[in-house]
Amino acid sequence: MFGSAARAHYAPAGARYRSVDVSTRIEGASPHRLVAILYEELLTRMSVLKGALGGGDATRRNDSHARVLAIIAALNTGLDHDKGGDVAGLLATLYAETGRLVGLAVRDRDVTPLDDARGIIADVATAWDQIR
């Protein structure tokens, strides 16, 4: 519907809106909800990365790749291995595998490993949403 020139023109406004949206969702959120927001953002950023890989947009690919890795790192850093025990260890392993698959996807410009990584995170996010 909109050409690339129109998308480029409105991209800064879209980015500001998205930043406000995320900030609004974070304010007052419980720790459980904050993790859910990270999963949502990770899945969104993985979708953007997939589009960038398919479209050959190096700038968007690099930005999305960095954001995906930052969110994975945040999720991994937030694990409490003392209280979480085996579950925290399993999540750390899943996050490491997700990061590895994302790296392969970017290196090879192949969305298949990215789809696999997205599937892992989608499963974890679904399980997380069921905990209340």
Side-chain angles (χ1 to χ4, degrees):
M1 177 173 179
F2 295 105
S4 61
R7 281 193 303 273
H9 176 75
Y10 293 109
R16 282 192 304 275
Y17 174 79
R18 181 151 180 71
S19 175
V20 168
D21 175 55
V22 171
S23 296
T24 301
R25 290 188 298 154
I26 290 173
E27 289 179 18
S30 69
H32 184 272
R33 182 68 189 127
L34 289 173
V35 172
I37 291 169
L38 283 173
Y39 286 136
E40 291 167 9
E41 285 300 307
L42 180 54
L43 291 169
T44 297
R45 290 294 159 195
M46 289 173 131
S47 293
V48 172
L49 177 57
K50 184 176 180 175
L53 286 172
D57 184 340
T59 301
R60 199 171 77 170
R61 180 192 67 225
N62 293 339
D63 180 59
S64 297
H65 183 213
R67 289 175 188 249
V68 164
L69 293 180
I71 296 169
I72 292 169
L75 286 164
N76 194 48
T77 301
L79 293 173
D80 185 337
H81 290 274
D82 292 332
K83 292 181 184 174
D86 291 341
V87 173
L90 175 61
L91 287 170
T93 300
L94 291 175
Y95 297 154
E97 178 63 5
T98 298
R100 186 188 74 77
L101 290 168
V102 169
L104 284 175
V106 171
R107 183 193 74 194
D108 298 341
R109 293 188 173 99
D110 178 10
V111 299
T112 302
L114 183 60
D115 288 339
D116 293 342
R118 193 174 192 295
I120 291 169
I121 296 301
D123 288 346
V124 173
T126 298
W128 185 259
D129 284 343
Q130 293 174 359
I131 301 170
R132 300 241 175 178

